Amino acid sequence: MAPPSGLHQSAIPSDFETPFPPLVRSSTVPAGLTSHRADPSHLAPEDAYGSFSPPRRSAPYDSLAHASATDTHPLRRGRKDPSRSRSRRRKRFQKLLWVKQSYPDNYTDQATFLENLQRNPRVRPYDFWPLVADSTVIVQHVCSVIIFIVCFVGIFQERVSPVSVVGWGSFATFLGWLLWDWWVTQETQGQPGDDDARGRMMRGGRAYRDYQAPRRQDSSGLDPSMLNASTVSISSISNLPSAASSTSNLHQEPQRSTNPPGVTTADGSGLLVPTHAHSRSASSINSITSHASAAAANSSSNTATTAARVISGSDGPGASTQSSSSPPPTARNSRTYVRLSTIKSAILIYFTLLGLSPILKSLTRSTSSDSIWAMSFWLLAINIFFFDYSGSSWAGTGTGTGNASAGGATTATGTTTTGTTTTTTTTNTTTATATTRGVSGINSSSYSSSNKRMPVSALSTNAALMASTVLASRLPSTGQVFSLTLFSIEVFGLFPVFRQYARHRRSWRYHAALTVLLVLGAGAGVGMILGDEHGWPWKKAVLGMVVGCLMAALAMGGCSWWLIGLQKYKNEIYGPWDPARPIIISRRHWDDE
Amino acid sequence: MASTYNIAMVSDFFFPQPGGVESHIYQLSTKLRDRGHKVIIITHAYKGRTGVRYLTNGLKVYHVPFFVLYRSASFPTVFSFFPIFRNIILRERIDIVHGHASLSSLCHEAILHARTMGLRTVYTDHSLFGFADAASIFANKILKFSLSDVDHVICVSHTCKENTVLRASLDPLMVSVIPNAVVAENFKPLDYSKPLPASFRPHHPPPARPLGPHDMITIVVISRLFYNKGTDLLTAAIPRILENHPNTRFIIAGDGPKAIDLEQMIEQNVLQDRVEMLGPIRHEEVRDVMVRGHVYLHPSLTEAFGTVIVEAASCGLYVVCTQVGGIPEVLPSHMTVFAKPEEDDLVAATGRAIAALRANKVRTELFHEQVKSMYSWTNVAMRTERVYNGICGAISEAEFYGYDAANGAGSWSATRGRSGVQSFALIDRLKRYYGCGIWAGKLFCLCVIVDYLIFLFLELCFPRDQIDICPDWPRKERKLDGKEPG
């Protein structure tokens, strides 16, 4: 708020027409490439086209970078005081446009040119061992895919009995489920309404808490359409696609009545529909929604659903504290109920798959095996590349009772996808719609905290299940097809959930042990498959384990080392030309209203 | 005494499409014509406008039929523009090709072809680009290609210059900063001696002056309602500003995808009587909206120059703006209150502005004359003319680039010729393009060679002497406005 003194008038003399004062090179041009580099973090113009490596992270630079990183708005300040230099005869160069400069237009002031440039201000140096630790996630997934392929090859070559594969797989799944259930129970009982857990849930999406309050009061008395509209409008503010809110609306009613009568019928019809060849693609979406609602109803007593897992996560323990209507006995009952419903849906899936197997068996009879191998290779590659390794969708998984049913819901989703992919391969015309529906089905039914990345991970799951479907269709007998499909659901549908839960909610030891087990298993499997059929299999298995461990170690260490080595090429440039990131804090003020 | 030039302005963006670049080209061209130069404009065909048109003042516009790709940027076909471009250039006897706007592929192609034909080229950058995302990387590579062989670059602000120098790896000395300007006559403050215009309906009293402590203060926002214009900040700040300051109201003009957020904010806070949304307005109406207010709020997140704040100041509004991009360079501090691009700071800055206005500490009635003396298109044209003189060798290299640039040329621009200007020799041009990158450099060289071959082919098939020379519009007398720069 400078007083409107006369300084602007004197600062705007019409001295443009006068010839410019002579330029001295030393004042305009940097003399050499090195002489003026007073501040190593300043980028000189010649750096833009010279070949250079950015400064290594030396201590002074680091502190400087951090200091500038904390200053989130590196805008120029205090330099637009024109009065300071006015008294001098030749005015100091100012980076101002309204002043008539006594310099030519292409004058480049060495002191101020690019002074606000920042290089790599937000770079966090990687450390080797944490990087290796993080890469275990990828190793785990790759290993589980390898194990699946090994099992397929084993079944295909009739070296392994399919019953034993699916038996051991189911046994492991059951064990995993028991373990998880135990963990979840422990967590719910140990820390009801735990602030830490809730904080973790809220991380990444505090908008959820923001708009929950209005919805809850809305849902008390309004009819569903209005409810829907209001939620949608609110969710558009908080950048939530309406799918989540509309799905979550489904749960509001069963939330009150603890007895969901429609579960089994909805579930059953949804699963059985895909067996009808013609109406598959159309009805798959029905099945999806019914799954969503079924999953919703499954866990209705404590509002834990997969479809709105975040909501359930925050409601599960949170609702008990907020509404204080669910004392511990209710919680325990609900746990039993959730367990029962999970078992129920597992049984349903089992029988549905059993019914589907003959169809799957003859699905691609007219296609040559080569195409199937190529196709499944690409599908599995898609699965590996698009898998959600960050696990952010599970990081927010509630401590509430939703987790157990999450398994069930995911299984249901898997089955739906199987149906959908069946359609994909049989009818060419509906391919696009069917797949999109499959994606959207997973998207809406396993919707959770990562709103944006979810389609990608859904793509990954879909690809894997489709790969397993087409692979299974190569198998000669119904029993084998059934075994492989069920196994694929366990490997691609349920196992990632368990892995990510173990990684995010449990200690590092479980994760490491799981990684080692997977690597060993994959190595042994590959060793046995590659080995001679008549030889002594254990020798090959041990050899495979050793090679697998070596390769895993090499890959993890080598890639981490490579990534760290590549960091020296990092050259992010930030300056005043970058769009500012607005800091808006009061959005929730009017969201809540 | 420098001679006059035949200049071709090339850009995808020109009237009838409204916008800042468009009016910049038009104003600059008319002022250059006033100074005795011949200016033609080459743009792509707009709906209903194909062929040649004359605008006021004998400004000739070529609307070249081209496929429009996105937001009136034409489809980048590197070579297809060359035959007709060559024809126009030869017909009009053009010396200097001046391209505008970095998103215009027509401009980049024209610069490439013009250099092949041995013409001087100038490029004006109007926008800021980041370096982070893939689209920017691609755009920057294209810019590097185009600007490898340009003679001079003009940027609208110092921030823009820094950005362009980094993006295209240019020698900073060949980048001039010449700001935009406003036609001050079109942005006069309200004349209280005359009857009020029709835009003041009975319930919109004109802004009171001098301002009493309880008079209504009107805050005007005119911007396209996009994310990068800071509409989110605005949406968050308006309820708080209105809550903190009774007797204030908002007028928001402009349209865009974020308008719905604003409307929702108005409804949720029940501010219908204090926030007026006018929707999209034409550029001619901007002044009439501006003079209804006291404060202009500009919450943009990135801005190369920000012509609108100059217009607002010219209308006598006190400007509250975010301190981003080139905005801090544009107006003196007694006309502006700067805010960080944060909601709290924006609310606080607006509060400071309102307090200062209520205390009658700001002499907004002086703003118009001050802005008028700061920014004028005549000045811009004069400074642009100096650039033309510099690249054509009318003023010596020593004067244009600094005294011992000639001696130290080896370290700076090895390819700048002895006369102080970029050499046209194909091998020198290839040298410049080759340095653009490991792969890109080779690709660019290939493009340049193909372009040269096309040029030879055209010379062979359509010889120069068979192309008609078009008669010039009578040139204006060169105005003798003081001493010539050079």
Side-chain angles (χ1 to χ4, degrees):
Chain A
M1 224 125 333
S5 63
L7 65 90
H8 46 271
Q9 269 133 3
S10 62
I12 314 160
S14 57
D15 58 355
F16 187 82
E17 284 77 8
T18 60
F20 294 108
L23 289 177
V24 182
R25 179 181 172 85
S26 57
S27 73
T28 57
V29 189
L33 289 178
T34 50
S35 59
H36 67 286
R37 299 296 296 272
D39 186 351
S41 72
H42 264 177
L43 193 66
E46 61 269 18
D47 278 347
Y49 43 91
S51 64
F52 58 88
S53 59
R56 291 291 301 173
R57 251 167 268 107
S58 57
Y61 169 67
D62 215 3
S63 63
L64 191 139
H66 282 301
S68 55
T70 52
D71 184 11
T72 47
H73 295 282
L75 300 165
R76 52 182 70 83
R77 294 184 191 92
R79 234 181 332 98
K80 43 197 150 323
D81 185 10
S83 59
R84 229 181 295 160
S85 62
R86 227 178 76 242
S87 53
R88 294 185 212 157
R89 208 179 62 78
R90 171 158 181 164
K91 278 174 279 179
R92 191 167 56 89
F93 177 78
Q94 292 163 305
K95 253 187 182 176
L96 298 174
L97 297 171
W98 56 275
V99 182
K100 293 282 187 291
Q101 311 271 6
S102 52
Y103 293 86
D105 288 327
N106 59 345
Y107 174 78
T108 305
D109 190 47
Q110 282 305 304
T112 54
F113 190 65
L114 290 177
E115 66 179 335
N116 289 307
L117 184 107
Q118 291 181 311
R119 301 174 72 190
N120 300 336
R122 283 190 283 268
V123 168
R124 275 186 311 153
Y126 290 117
D127 288 331
F128 182 72
W129 288 111
L131 209 57
V132 172
D134 284 342
S135 66
T136 51
V137 190
I138 302 172
V139 170
Q140 276 188 353
H141 188 70
V142 172
C143 283
S144 60
V145 171
I146 290 175
I147 287 174
F148 172 76
I149 296 168
V150 161
C151 288
F152 169 75
V153 173
I155 294 174
F156 189 69
Q157 295 177 344
E158 297 184 337
R159 296 164 64 164
V160 189
S161 135
V163 179
S164 71
V165 167
V166 80
W168 282 108
S170 303
F171 179 65
T173 311
F174 185 66
L175 274 187
W177 179 64
L178 283 184
L179 192 61
W180 183 354
D181 198 54
W182 180 60
W183 284 344
V184 169
T185 322
Q186 209 180 23
E187 247 177 71
T188 356
Q189 287 175 349
Q191 22 184 286
D194 177 19
D195 275 338
D196 175 42
R198 284 181 64 196
R200 251 184 290 177
M201 276 173 256
M202 291 307 175
R203 182 182 60 193
R206 71 181 209 194
Y208 294 109
R209 181 159 42 185
D210 296 337
Y211 80 81
Q212 264 183 6
R215 180 157 35 72
R216 202 170 288 123
Q217 55 191 16
D218 279 354
S219 62
S220 55
L222 299 174
D223 64 323
S225 61
M226 275 183 69
L227 173 76
N228 219 344
S230 68
T231 334
V232 166
S233 68
I234 290 168
S235 68
S236 75
I237 295 158
S238 55
N239 286 328
L240 252 176
S242 56
S245 45
S246 60
T247 335
S248 59
N249 282 334
L250 294 172
H251 322 141
Q252 296 298 330
E253 284 177 320
Q255 185 181 353
R256 311 208 168 261
S257 63
T258 45
N259 185 21
V263 182
T264 47
T265 53
D267 215 346
S269 68
L271 286 169
L272 289 175
V273 155
T275 55
H276 304 292
H278 197 64
S279 61
R280 256 175 227 148
S281 65
S283 57
S284 62
I285 198 157
N286 289 340
S287 67
I288 290 155
T289 45
S290 65
H291 280 308
S293 60
N298 275 347
S299 50
S300 57
S301 66
N302 215 355
T303 74
T305 73
T306 328
R309 196 171 294 122
V310 173
I311 296 162
S312 72
S314 51
D315 267 1
S320 54
T321 52
Q322 281 176 7
S323 59
S324 71
S325 65
S326 46
T330 324
R332 208 170 298 135
N333 287 344
S334 76
R335 287 227 56 78
T336 330
Y337 180 76
V338 164
R339 276 175 208 141
L340 273 179
S341 63
T342 310
I343 292 169
K344 198 157 55 184
S345 56
I347 291 169
L348 267 169
I349 287 155
Y350 181 86
F351 283 112
T352 314
L353 268 187
L354 213 52
L356 274 176
S357 297
I359 301 169
L360 289 182
K361 192 182 72 167
S362 59
L363 183 66
T364 61
R365 187 167 287 163
S366 57
T367 317
S368 80
S369 291
D370 288 351
S371 324
I372 296 295
W373 305 145
M375 194 169 158
S376 50
F377 170 77
W378 283 113
L379 286 168
L380 287 175
I382 289 173
N383 169 261
I384 288 175
F385 280 112
F386 288 94
F387 188 73
D388 183 15
Y389 293 105
S390 69
S392 57
S393 53
W394 311 104
T397 306
T399 53
T401 49
N403 290 318
S405 74
T410 317
T411 320
T413 319
T415 332
T416 321
T417 321
T418 317
T420 321
T421 47
T422 313
T423 324
T424 316
T425 44
T426 43
T427 56
N428 243 342
T429 49
T430 53
T431 306
T433 54
T435 33
T436 47
R437 275 175 192 164
V439 170
S440 68
I442 288 203
N443 200 0
S444 64
S445 62
S446 62
Y447 194 89
S448 78
S449 63
S450 67
N451 350 356
K452 279 169 191 160
R453 245 169 313 164
M454 212 50 200
V456 172
S457 72
L459 173 72
S460 162
T461 316
N462 265 328
L465 289 173
M466 183 162 172
S468 73
T469 311
V470 294
L471 282 180
S473 68
R474 286 292 100 177
L475 296 173
S477 81
T478 312
Q480 288 172 332
V481 171
F482 167 74
S483 311
L484 192 75
T485 317
L486 189 59
F487 186 63
S488 80
I489 289 172
E490 284 162 1
V491 169
F492 295 118
L494 299 180
F495 192 43
V497 183
F498 176 77
R499 281 199 323 251
Q500 285 176 346
Y501 183 82
R503 175 165 153 251
H504 281 284
R505 313 309 300 276
R506 288 285 134 186
S507 71
W508 163 249
R509 271 179 300 145
Y510 287 99
H511 185 66
L514 198 60
T515 312
V516 171
L517 266 182
L518 278 170
V519 169
L520 287 180
V526 172
M528 286 202 286
I529 289 296
L530 292 181
D532 190 2
E533 204 168 329
H534 305 290
W536 180 242
W538 294 112
K539 216 170 15 178
K540 305 278 183 191
V542 171
L543 188 68
M545 281 186 197
V546 173
V547 172
C549 283
L550 276 179
M551 278 176 66
L554 268 181
M556 291 197 298
C559 289
S560 306
W561 178 77
W562 190 36
L563 183 62
I564 291 173
L566 286 179
Q567 291 305 303
K568 69 165 178 280
Y569 297 109
K570 196 161 197 129
N571 184 25
E572 292 179 34
I573 299 175
Y574 293 93
W577 48 80
D578 282 309
R581 291 189 188 85
I583 299 178
I584 299 169
I585 49 158
S586 75
R587 176 166 282 168
R588 64 168 178 274
H589 289 326
W590 49 274
D591 270 3
D592 277 347
E593 281 165 13
Chain B
M1 186 71 186
S3 56
T4 56
Y5 304 107
N6 298 340
I7 302 153
M9 302 273 175
V10 188
S11 178
D12 269 326
F13 311 108
F14 195 63
F15 296 128
Q17 175 181 283
V21 179
E22 289 83 352
S23 69
H24 177 105
I25 296 172
Y26 176 73
Q27 298 289 351
L28 179 61
S29 304
T30 44
K31 294 301 176 211
L32 283 171
R33 280 197 69 86
D34 286 346
R35 296 182 64 79
H37 302 288
K38 169 187 174 179
V39 184
I40 64 162
I41 293 169
I42 304 175
T43 183
H44 67 78
Y46 283 87
K47 199 179 174 214
R49 289 203 189 193
T50 320
V52 183
R53 289 216 169 200
Y54 279 95
L55 303 186
T56 321
N57 210 353
L59 188 62
K60 194 175 193 179
V61 186
Y62 282 87
H63 288 280
V64 183
F66 257 101
F67 176 63
V68 172
L69 186 65
Y70 173 67
R71 286 175 76 165
S72 87
S74 63
F75 188 74
T77 59
V78 183
F79 307 113
S80 69
F81 182 42
F82 201 1
I84 194 162
F85 176 74
R86 174 173 172 272
N87 209 307
I88 295 172
I89 294 298
L90 293 179
R91 278 171 64 85
E92 302 282 350
R93 290 172 297 170
I94 295 299
D95 313 314
I96 295 172
V97 173
H98 190 159
H100 289 265
S102 57
L103 285 178
S104 153
S105 53
L106 206 62
C107 148
H108 295 311
E109 290 177 26
I111 289 175
L112 171 69
H113 303 324
R115 289 298 298 176
T116 305
M117 293 177 65
L119 305 177
R120 299 292 167 199
T121 49
V122 182
Y123 165 78
T124 298
D125 204 351
H126 295 262
S127 46
L128 300 176
F129 274 81
F131 295 90
D133 54 306
S136 301
I137 291 168
F138 182 73
N140 292 345
K141 212 67 181 171
I142 298 292
L143 190 77
K144 208 172 189 172
F145 173 40
S146 162
L147 296 195
S148 288
D149 199 24
V150 80
D151 287 293
H152 207 87
V153 177
I154 296 171
C155 291
V156 292
S157 64
H158 289 101
T159 305
C160 185
K161 170 174 176 175
E162 294 175 354
N163 189 14
T164 308
V165 164
L166 286 178
R167 282 166 65 203
S169 311
L170 296 169
D171 176 350
L173 280 182
M174 58 179 281
V175 182
S176 290
V177 176
I178 300 177
N180 278 330
V182 292
V183 185
E185 298 79 50
N186 294 349
F187 293 94
K188 278 185 183 153
L190 208 56
D191 191 352
Y192 285 89
S193 57
K194 287 183 187 167
L196 291 171
S199 61
F200 291 98
R201 287 171 300 222
H203 59 283
H204 289 311
R209 179 175 291 169
L211 211 59
H214 296 295
D215 281 332
M216 182 66 86
I217 283 192
T218 307
I219 303 172
V220 179
V221 180
I222 298 177
S223 109
R224 286 176 296 121
L225 301 176
F226 281 90
Y227 168 78
N228 63 356
K229 295 289 176 187
T231 314
D232 291 332
L233 273 177
L234 187 69
T235 312
I238 284 178
R240 294 181 57 189
I241 294 170
L242 289 179
E243 189 183 357
N244 295 347
H245 304 281
N247 293 329
T248 52
R249 62 190 195 100
F250 272 86
I251 295 177
I252 302 172
D255 203 2
K258 292 276 180 185
I260 185 94
D261 287 357
L262 274 174
E263 280 162 14
Q264 205 162 25
M265 177 276 297
I266 293 171
E267 281 182 18
Q268 283 184 341
N269 294 287
V270 200
L271 295 172
Q272 281 89 346
D273 55 338
R274 300 183 69 186
V275 182
E276 185 183 355
M277 289 194 65
L278 298 178
I281 58 166
R282 289 182 304 167
H283 192 244
E284 303 89 83
E285 300 167 337
V286 165
R287 183 257 172 193
D288 293 339
V289 175
M290 277 181 173
V291 294
R292 282 164 62 182
H294 302 83
V295 176
Y296 182 79
L297 182 60
H298 192 66
S300 183
L301 301 183
T302 176
E303 197 80 66
F305 181 76
T307 315
V308 68
I309 64 172
V310 183
E311 292 170 352
S314 173
C315 286
L317 270 68
Y318 198 37
V319 176
V320 179
C321 55
T322 45
Q323 211 168 15
V324 297
I327 288 181
E329 306 166 17
V330 171
L331 284 179
S333 54
H334 69 269
M335 293 186 187
T336 46
V337 181
F338 288 114
K340 286 182 238 164
E342 296 167 12
E343 179 195 339
D344 285 342
D345 209 45
L346 197 67
V347 171
T350 316
R352 286 201 300 275
I354 291 172
L357 278 177
R358 287 218 190 280
N360 279 315
K361 274 197 230 159
V362 191
R363 309 269 317 266
T364 51
E365 67 274 11
L366 299 178
F367 283 4
H368 177 70
E369 289 303 318
Q370 293 164 2
V371 169
K372 201 172 161 183
S373 65
M374 288 174 202
Y375 294 106
S376 81
W377 284 109
T378 318
N379 184 338
V380 170
M382 203 153 45
R383 293 160 78 171
T384 310
E385 196 181 77
R386 178 175 178 271
V387 170
Y388 294 155
N389 285 334
I391 59 171
C392 289
I395 57 177
S396 68
E397 179 191 16
E399 193 185 331
F400 193 45
Y401 292 107
Y403 262 144
D404 31 353
N407 308 335
S411 70
W412 263 94
S413 174
T415 49
R416 193 179 286 151
R418 206 171 298 159
S419 64
V421 288
Q422 303 259 53
S423 153
F424 288 119
L426 183 64
I427 189 70
D428 285 340
R429 297 183 59 216
L430 288 180
K431 271 187 214 158
R432 290 192 280 266
Y433 284 111
Y434 194 76
C436 285
I438 300 171
W439 297 106
K442 297 175 176 67
L443 183 72
F444 294 167
C445 280
L446 207 64
C447 286
V448 173
I449 291 168
V450 170
D451 205 55
Y452 189 69
L453 291 177
I454 293 176
F455 174 62
L456 292 183
F457 173 78
L458 290 173
E459 289 286 315
L460 212 64
C461 291
F462 308 97
R464 281 171 186 253
D465 46 17
Q466 287 183 14
I467 293 176
D468 293 336
I469 303 296
C470 115
D472 283 355
W473 190 274
R475 293 195 190 209
K476 295 209 170 181
E477 278 291 308
R478 190 181 174 81
K479 281 181 190 164
L480 293 175
D481 39 11
K483 283 171 77 178
E484 283 306 312

